[in-house]
Amino acid sequence: MMTFYYSMKQMLRTPLRSILFFVLVGVSALLLAVGGSLWYQSSGMEREFEKIYTTIATVEQKQEEVRTIPVWDETLQDYYYINHGVYGERISDEVLDFDGAPYLTEAKLRPHLGAYVEQMYQGIGRTTVITVEAEVSETRTATESIPLRITKVLEGAREEGEIIWFCDEHSEKPVTLEAGKTYIMQLREQGVVHGELAAQNALDPFELEYGFTNGIVSSQFTPEGEQKPDPYLESGENKGVRYDEVTDGFYETESGKRWLNVAHTQEYENRTIPVTPVGATKLLLPFYRGEAVIEEGRDISGEEYETGADVCLIPRQLAVLLQKEVGDRVTLPLYYADYSYIGGNGMSAPTILNTDGEIYPVFDEREYEIVGIYTVSQSAEKDDSELGMYEVIIPWNTVPEEAWSENITGTGAGYMKSYNTSFQIPNGSIAEYMEGWKKQGIDGLEIKFYDNGYTELKEDLESRKMTSKIFLTGGLAMAFLILLFFANLFISGQQERIAVERLLGRMKRQCAVSVLSGMLVLAAAGIFCGSATGYVTAGMVGQQTETELKFDTTYSNAAVQAVQEEEEKEAREETEEETEEETEEETEEETGKAKETVESRKTVGEKKPPVSLAVGSGIVLFILTVLISAGYMKATLKKEVLQMLGESEEI
């Protein structure tokens, strides 16, 4: 105890030196505590953000030009004009498979697959699309609405003997129907009746008229996006015609058999649901944006996507219609592939016939386990990425791509669009990807990235990590130099005392304790104060940095503002009526994704560094103090007593 007393007394004989040592050691400890805490926070936030954020991109082939097309309106006796985008040569998705592309999920031009589900049929048919035999009482050209009498119904909710109105004014050469002949045709409702005959004879001036469909014409494509020629339109009187005359034995002919297949169109539309094969659920923008949410069960796992397991996600509407729950199985007979847009309230194939005039045969049929049931928010964006009402999600690897190569139908040639081509890359690798992509020299594609602001957040985190490195490096360097200087100063200044104690018979160990105890206590006090101050400072810096984190300007700004308004409402809700709570719940549903992201960021940003981190940095610094001072002390004690006395006199 007396040894410690005299050691401290010796330190107090040079108060300015001791205070300076205390302050500088404390500052070093503060820098180490702040640097370590910031590094811990940044690394933790980086790991958390990797779990929260996903970076995807959509690919779309650019239109080469927009043409204005004149269309003759027989009623107005004038042209009206529509703009039509024109694409150039189809660009294959293979161009996206370039060396160095950091894909987590590769870019694929994906179709939706039509599945014929027997249980889907509802009702007895519709009037919107009908396949009928009909005749006219007088020979007329259908440049305006003309009356047809139905003689036979092959498909649709119409009756024999019923009068319907028909018009073909938008064709380059409107059809002329002759009296005394019976025609078979597939018709679709297209607008309100018009013209002189309709004005005189229609029971309702707002009655709908019919026009030809393309149901008799095949729109089959090759995997390369080229349309296959349809023999029905390439020969004889059928060229360019969407109807036929019915004569004796007509249904025994190739044309008649084709029309019998066409008569199943409405049945197939009623029973067909879209099935989308994809490499990851979040590659579909409604899921990525949080507009589509799995409310029961789970998502398809990464392993299931990789192995092509027989699992699926289905929408709530389909689950109710088929009376299915999570864990049940559903059979999906797939019979066609279509690369065109299907969003909205449902879907239907442009035509169910291949170029042989046959209904596309089933190319894959298997049972899928329902692992999740999803719903789509009513506030979801109504754009090309919109999901179909009954859209089922399956892993891309479940059905081989070559399986549907002979069953491709559609209205386009398989151009890459934002709704059918997307990929996933590691977070923060957009610049790397684009650098590699630019080297390919392809200008015909537009790639749009979505990362919910991760790139900006990453920059903030890297800035914080750089700051932490500066603090750590500066703190260690400062501590090392300070300890070297003051250890030398304190020990060299007490060489006379050490020599005297040695002459009085003290052991070297006792001399070391006598000289160093005061210095180490003073260092420990400085380290404690500096580490404690550093811990508090790091927490304040972390909170300040959190308020400066940037959000994704594409999707989050409006939603985040709504979330903030919602939180203000919640503070007032305690004194408001229950009806206001219901309004609040609707607001929460509409901003669900943004709120989840904000809360996740807030939770991550508010994580305080553990006290053990500051304690640990302090212990490391104290050990460094002990080692350096002990090293100096050991070197001093190796000297002879007379040498120490001589050096002390020189000092």
Side-chain angles (χ1 to χ4, degrees), residues 485-502:
F485 176 75
F486 279 96
N488 177 60
L489 193 62
F490 282 130
I491 295 171
S492 298
Q494 298 188 68
Q495 286 191 98
E496 182 179 357
R497 175 188 170 193
I498 296 170
V500 172
E501 289 181 351
R502 290 288 306 280

Side-chain angles (χ1 to χ4, degrees), residues 411-424:
T411 57
Y415 292 105
M416 284 187 279
K417 301 288 186 66
S418 61
Y419 57 79
N420 64 18
T421 310
S422 54
F423 59 84
Q424 181 182 352

Side-chain angles (χ1 to χ4, degrees), residues 56 58 83 99 157 180 215 235 243 249 283 341-342 348 370 402 438 447 463 481 503 534 565 601 633:
I56 69 169
T58 60
N83 292 326
D99 291 338
S235 61
Y243 65 98
L283 291 182
Y341 171 67
I342 61 155
S348 61
I370 301 171
E402 60 272 12
K438 288 178 181 178
I447 301 177
S463 176
L481 294 174
L503 290 173
E565 293 174 355
R601 289 171 171 166
M633 193 68 208

Side-chain angles (χ1 to χ4, degrees), residues 418-435:
S418 61
Y419 57 79
N420 64 18
T421 310
S422 54
F423 59 84
Q424 181 182 352
I425 58 176
N427 291 326
S429 63
I430 295 176
E432 175 190 350
Y433 182 92
M434 289 306 297
E435 183 178 351

Side-chain angles (χ1 to χ4, degrees), residues 636-649:
T636 301
L637 291 173
K638 285 183 178 180
K639 298 177 182 179
E640 295 295 333
V641 174
L642 293 178
Q643 182 183 355
M644 285 190 286
L645 287 173
E647 291 178 354
S648 64
E649 290 178 359

Side-chain angles (χ1 to χ4, degrees), residues 589-606:
E589 179 182 356
E590 293 174 356
T591 58
K593 174 61 176 178
K595 182 172 182 178
E596 180 182 352
T597 303
V598 171
E599 293 298 329
S600 299
R601 289 171 171 166
K602 188 176 180 181
T603 302
V604 173
E606 289 181 350

Side-chain angles (χ1 to χ4, degrees), residues 73-229:
D73 189 313
E74 186 69 28
T75 304
L76 301 176
Q77 288 293 299
D78 197 2
Y79 287 98
Y80 66 91
Y81 299 88
I82 59 174
N83 292 326
H84 177 65
V86 179
Y87 291 91
E89 183 178 351
R90 174 181 177 269
I91 301 176
S92 170
D93 58 359
E94 294 178 357
V95 302
L96 297 167
D97 185 18
F98 57 91
D99 291 338
Y103 290 121
L104 295 178
T105 305
E106 293 184 357
K108 293 288 186 182
L109 174 61
R110 59 177 179 267
H112 67 268
L113 310 175
Y116 183 85
V117 180
E118 191 75 26
Q119 303 95 309
M120 283 293 296
Y121 187 74
Q122 304 176 68
I124 58 173
R126 307 188 302 272
T127 60
T128 51
V129 178
I130 59 176
T131 305
V132 296
E133 292 181 12
E135 60 184 16
V136 291
S137 58
E138 297 181 21
T139 299
R140 291 190 175 95
T141 300
T143 54
E144 62 178 27
S145 300
I146 63 173
L148 300 180
R149 188 177 72 85
I150 298 175
T151 58
K152 184 178 181 179
V153 178
L154 283 76
E155 178 185 44
R158 288 292 187 180
E159 298 181 0
E160 293 184 10
E162 193 173 355
I163 300 297
I164 61 173
W165 293 87
F166 167 77
C167 181
D168 194 36
E169 65 177 325
H170 298 308
S171 298
E172 293 183 7
K173 184 179 179 181
V175 64
T176 298
L177 301 179
E178 299 180 20
K181 292 184 177 181
T182 300
Y183 300 94
I184 184 170
M185 55 188 73
Q186 187 180 71
L187 305 173
R188 184 183 297 275
E189 291 178 344
Q190 65 179 12
V192 178
V193 294
H194 61 92
E196 184 178 346
L197 287 173
Q200 296 175 356
N201 300 293
L203 298 177
D204 183 352
F206 297 102
E207 184 176 350
L208 295 178
E209 67 176 13
Y210 286 90
F212 286 129
T213 72
N214 289 321
I216 191 64
V217 182
S218 173
S219 60
Q220 185 175 358
F221 284 81
T222 67
E224 292 71 35
E226 298 178 357
Q227 186 167 4
K228 291 186 175 183

